[in-house]
């Protein structure tokens, strides 16, 4: 299954979720591939890829026609590979304009390798340009991290409109997989209010488990470690472990509904 992790708002926990959900799934014996489509390449550097030393990245798949097998690298962790991102992706938005079927480049490239993995997680940039459109066109579902802060749902309508547009034009099987509440602070009334709003908005398409505000989660990437390697008993680690187990149940149901 291919899941795009998307929200055009920055700082909502997309990269943190991509890294730690992927790691948690790999620990549960899922074979996982991360595709980093963000020019900031935070997911790649956060998991230990030396981004400045890369010869190839996801940019080369989109723009230069390279195959995934030429770009995918091991993260050094069992069951977890990555197709790293790079700063070159910043130019991909412009360069894709002149490419034929530019919205479907990633989807076509994925045909060769998608059956090699149980889950493919695509980390999207915080924008709704051609990189995100490629991710949505290639995906089965969209996972939307939502920060429990003021204006949490601001911009979600625009993202949903983009999802519907992609579904109409290039990928009629695309669905929302789930929303995931991030940076949740159980001590504040605001977090509880936002959680209620998001739950009402997305209904059963919302993870029951939430990701708490946790210092260890923000520290781990600077050490090029997942939260499980950095502080395995932290609130953040326990939360992502619970989310991964819930993801597997939701995935089973998602795929069953698709077959029905």
């Amino acid at each position: 299954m291919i899941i795009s992790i998307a929200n055009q708002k920055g700082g909502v926990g997309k990269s943190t979720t991509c890294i730690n959900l992927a790691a948690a799934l790999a620990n549960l014996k899922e074979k996982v591939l991360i595709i980093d489509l963000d020019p900031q390449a935070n997911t790649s550097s956060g998991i230990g890829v030396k981004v400045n030393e890369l010869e190839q990245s996801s940019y080369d798949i989109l723009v230069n026609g390279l195959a995934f097998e030429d770009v995918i690298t091991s993260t050094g962790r069992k069951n977890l590979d990555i197709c790293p991102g790079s700063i070159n992706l910043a130019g991909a938005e412009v360069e894709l304009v002149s490419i034929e079927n530019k919205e479907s480049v990633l989807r076509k490239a994925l045909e060769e390798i998608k059956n090699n993995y149980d889950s493919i997680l695509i980390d999207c940039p915080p924008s709704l340009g051609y990189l995100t459109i490629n991710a949505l066109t290639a995906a089965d579902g969209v996972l939307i991290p939502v920060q429990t802060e003021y204006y949490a749902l601001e911009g979600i309508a625009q993202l949903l409109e983009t999802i519907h547009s992609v579904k109409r034009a290039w990928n009629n099987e695309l669905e929302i997989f789930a929303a995931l509440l991030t940076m949740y602070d159980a001590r504040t009334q605001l977090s509880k209010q936002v959680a209620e709003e998001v739950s009402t908005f997305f209904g059963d398409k919302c993870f029951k488990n939430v990701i708490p505000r946790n210092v260890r989660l923000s520290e781990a990437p600077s050490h090029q470690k997942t939260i499980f390697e950095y502080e395995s008993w932290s609130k953040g680690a326990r939360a992502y472990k619970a989310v991964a187990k819930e993801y597997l149940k939701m995935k089973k149901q998602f795929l069953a509904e698709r077959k029905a």
Side-chain angles (χ1 to χ4, degrees), residues 179-199:
L180 174 66
L181 288 162
T182 62
M183 303 177 204
Y184 183 84
D185 187 344
R187 297 167 302 179
T188 69
Q189 197 57 37
L190 175 63
S191 275
K192 291 171 186 170
Q193 282 174 352
V194 172
E196 277 178 33
E197 278 179 37
V198 173
S199 185

Side-chain angles (χ1 to χ4, degrees), residues 83-122:
C83 173
S86 71
I87 189 64
N88 293 343
L89 284 163
E93 292 284 358
V94 177
E95 291 171 82
L96 279 166
V97 172
S98 57
I99 294 175
E100 197 177 345
N101 297 322
K102 50 187 166 285
E103 301 85 3
S104 309
V105 178
L106 187 66
R107 181 181 191 164
K108 191 177 174 191
L110 271 168
E111 288 296 327
E112 300 292 319
I113 58 104
K114 67 180 184 182
N115 293 329
N116 298 347
Y117 296 92
D118 299 310
S119 286
I120 297 175
L121 303 182
I122 307 175

Side-chain angles (χ1 to χ4, degrees), residues 8-252:
Q8 74 270 31
K9 279 182 82 170
V12 298
K14 279 194 298 292
S15 297
T16 301
T17 293
C18 196
I19 290 170
N20 294 306
L21 176 57
L25 290 170
N27 290 341
L28 293 169
K29 299 186 168 54
E30 282 262 299
K31 189 155 174 50
V32 184
L33 172 66
I34 292 171
I35 301 173
D36 191 351
L37 284 191
D38 191 339
Q40 295 174 70
N42 289 338
T43 294
S44 303
S45 59
I47 210 160
V49 175
K50 292 182 169 60
V51 175
N52 296 332
E53 297 174 15
L54 287 174
E55 289 184 17
Q56 282 108 17
S57 71
S58 54
Y59 165 86
D60 296 284
I61 290 168
L62 291 170
V63 175
N64 296 328
L66 253 61
F68 266 101
E69 59 189 24
D70 297 323
V71 183
I72 288 172
T73 180
S74 169
T75 63
R77 298 161 180 88
K78 194 174 180 182
N79 298 325
L80 184 54
D81 293 339
I82 188 167
C83 173
S86 71
I87 189 64
N88 293 343
L89 284 163
E93 292 284 358
V94 177
E95 291 171 82
L96 279 166
V97 172
S98 57
I99 294 175
E100 197 177 345
N101 297 322
K102 50 187 166 285
E103 301 85 3
S104 309
V105 178
L106 187 66
R107 181 181 191 164
K108 191 177 174 191
L110 271 168
E111 288 296 327
E112 300 292 319
I113 58 104
K114 67 180 184 182
N115 293 329
N116 298 347
Y117 296 92
D118 299 310
S119 286
I120 297 175
L121 303 182
I122 307 175
D123 187 21
C124 298
S127 66
L128 296 176
Y130 283 122
L131 293 174
T132 298
I133 287 170
N134 261 272
L136 296 176
T137 302
D140 297 305
V142 188
L143 193 163
I144 307 171
V146 183
Q147 188 179 358
T148 49
E149 303 251 327
Y150 279 119
Y151 309 123
L153 291 171
E154 190 183 63
I156 293 288
Q158 196 183 349
L159 173 61
L160 296 183
E161 183 51 45
T162 302
I163 291 169
H164 292 319
S165 298
V166 168
K167 182 169 180 164
R168 281 194 304 266
W170 304 293
N171 180 5
N172 63 5
E173 295 198 327
L174 181 66
E175 300 288 347
I176 292 167
F177 179 74
L180 174 66
L181 288 162
T182 62
M183 303 177 204
Y184 183 84
D185 187 344
R187 297 167 302 179
T188 69
Q189 197 57 37
L190 175 63
S191 275
K192 291 171 186 170
Q193 282 174 352
V194 172
E196 277 178 33
E197 278 179 37
V198 173
S199 185
T200 301
F201 189 86
F202 286 100
D204 60 355
K205 296 277 187 184
C206 196
F207 280 93
K208 290 180 176 61
N209 289 287
V210 301
I211 304 302
R213 189 172 284 283
N214 181 237
V215 174
R216 296 288 183 247
L217 275 176
S218 11
E219 289 173 347
S222 63
H223 297 270
Q224 290 82 54
K225 290 182 176 180
T226 71
I227 190 60
F228 308 105
E229 296 153 352
Y230 183 64
E231 194 70 72
S232 63
W233 292 105
S234 64
K235 282 193 302 181
R238 294 199 303 271
Y240 273 110
K241 194 173 180 179
V243 164
K245 288 178 178 174
E246 191 177 354
Y247 166 95
L248 291 177
K249 287 179 187 167
M250 293 169 91
K251 173 185 169 183
K252 196 173 177 181

